[in-house]
Amino acid sequence: MNRILTIQDISCVGKCSLTVALPIISAFGIETAVLPTAVLSNHTAFKGFTFRDLTDDMTGIADKWQEENITFDAIYTGYLGSIKQIDIVADIFRRFKTEKNIYIVDPAMADNGKLYKGFDQAFADEMAKLCKNADIIVPNLTEVSFMLHTPYIAEGYDENYIKETLKKLTDMGAKTAIITGVTFEKSKLGAYGYDSVNDKYFQYFREYLPVSFHGTGDVFASALCGATALGKNTEESTEIAVDFTVESMIKTMENKNHNWYGVDFEAAFPYLIKKLGLL
Ligand code: PXL
């Protein structure tokens, strides 16, 4: 069985990071090992939150895995709490890198033109460095603007702009970059990618939904990771991840009692399992 290591925080309530990655990757039939970076009462989009920093535990945990010769088929990193954690993650990646395993970085740090609470440009610059060693990175347009030091353009850009931006991202070092939340026309939203190894652009769009939920980036990245670990190519994995994210959003909209802080991705599992032919 494949084993993925995912490194990000546990937000106890709020459906993001590990509480999204763990169930979603498991649903692909893949073992999910976790390295929690912090424990929060809830994610930082709420008014207040507690934050137990686990930075000092991270290296010791990885040491034990190395002693046991534990290996990972993929490493997927998401929200990280500090520059120090980014450095530790870079080190863990070096230590567990094999010829075959793949490294997916979601530089989860910003959305809608703004950095999340507690982050600054220096953090974004370190995250950009972490992305250099990745096989696949999955930033949204806000994260792209902070990593490339370019203005954030919410809409009205054209396909050339996205292609040039993707090229700039892979020129920094990542093999493949996939920008999420791309829209050229009001009725469609999706992901646009560039595989620099094969010099190939790819895209996948679905209907634009007039809603915005917290945690959709984590749902997308987790599904992409699961599909990639199942051996799907990056293009197929992008389609699976976009479809699963959209289905999760549709299920959330169908739930009259839905909240603002997370998507009902659980209700989209039957769809995913059917689509993957896992039944
Ligand atoms: O969804 C990204 C994310 C992950 N973890 C924490 C967050 C956020 C976004 O706000 O606050 C703690």
Side-chain angles (χ1 to χ4, degrees):
M1 185 191 258
N2 262 323
R3 182 192 291 130
I4 288 182
L5 167 63
T6 181
I7 309 177
Q8 38 192 328
D9 67 281
I10 298 179
S11 288
C12 301
V13 168
K15 290 206 264 189
C16 67
S17 40
L18 279 189
T19 61
V20 168
L22 188 55
I24 292 178
I25 298 169
S26 298
F28 280 80
I30 292 161
E31 180 185 342
T32 314
V34 299
L35 179 46
T37 54
V39 180
L40 290 83
S41 52
N42 42 264
H43 59 60
T44 63
F46 286 83
K47 269 206 291 296
F49 52 90
T50 65
F51 190 102
R52 169 74 62 194
D53 190 341
L54 298 178
T55 305
D56 292 343
D57 294 286
M58 291 171 66
T59 302
I61 292 172
D63 290 345
K64 289 288 158 234
W65 293 337
Q66 249 186 338
E67 280 169 35
E68 298 289 340
N69 294 320
I70 302 224
T71 57
F72 304 104
D73 299 290
I75 300 176
Y76 153 40
T77 63
Y79 180 101
L80 300 170
S82 62
I83 289 178
K84 183 151 184 227
Q85 286 193 349
I86 294 178
D87 293 343
I88 293 173
V89 162
D91 179 56
I92 289 175
F93 171 61
R94 274 190 295 274
R95 288 165 64 183
F96 288 89
K97 181 80 197 131
T98 64
E99 267 173 28
K100 276 211 273 168
N101 65 5
I102 59 157
Y103 185 32
I104 299 178
V105 176
D106 179 3
M109 59 182 167
D111 207 359
N112 300 313
K114 280 197 246 150
L115 287 164
Y116 297 145
K117 285 175 197 135
F119 295 147
D120 56 14
Q121 186 60 51
F123 179 87
D125 292 342
E126 287 307 307
M127 192 56 108
K129 284 190 207 153
L130 189 69
C131 286
K132 286 183 184 185
N133 294 317
D135 293 293
I136 305 175
I137 58 171
V138 291
N140 60 36
L141 279 166
T142 305
E143 288 152 354
V144 166
S145 78
F146 280 103
M147 290 200 291
L148 294 179
H149 291 251
T150 50
Y152 167 62
I153 306 177
E155 52 187 19
Y157 46 79
D158 61 11
E159 197 165 346
N160 257 341
Y161 169 77
I162 294 295
K163 283 183 156 179
E164 279 167 17
T165 305
L166 283 164
K167 192 94 191 16
K168 281 186 201 158
L169 287 170
T170 55
D171 281 350
M172 283 184 354
K175 292 197 184 87
T176 294
I178 303 169
I179 302 179
T180 57
V182 173
T183 177
F184 299 124
E185 46 182 309
K186 278 225 154 9
S187 60
K188 292 204 175 102
L189 186 89
Y192 207 118
Y194 177 57
D195 166 353
S196 68
V197 176
N198 298 302
D199 189 23
K200 191 164 180 248
Y201 287 95
F202 56 91
Q203 54 182 290
Y204 186 67
F205 287 85
R206 284 278 306 260
E207 68 274 26
Y208 173 84
L209 301 172
V211 283
S212 162
F213 295 115
H214 196 273
T216 46
D218 297 355
V219 170
F220 173 85
S222 302
L224 182 91
C225 201
T228 307
L230 279 188
K232 312 272 182 202
N233 67 37
T234 313
E235 219 173 318
E236 287 171 319
S237 299
T238 301
E239 287 189 25
I240 290 168
V242 169
D243 279 339
F244 181 62
T245 308
V246 171
E247 288 306 314
S248 298
M249 291 173 75
I250 290 171
K251 288 292 179 197
T252 313
M253 289 161 74
E254 283 171 9
N255 173 3
K256 276 203 243 85
N257 299 317
H258 75 247
N259 55 55
W260 61 271
Y261 47 77
V263 267
D264 293 350
F265 62 83
E266 302 89 339
F269 278 148
Y271 165 87
L272 179 73
I273 285 161
K274 205 163 153 210
K275 186 177 170 79
L276 292 173
L278 292 177
L279 266 187

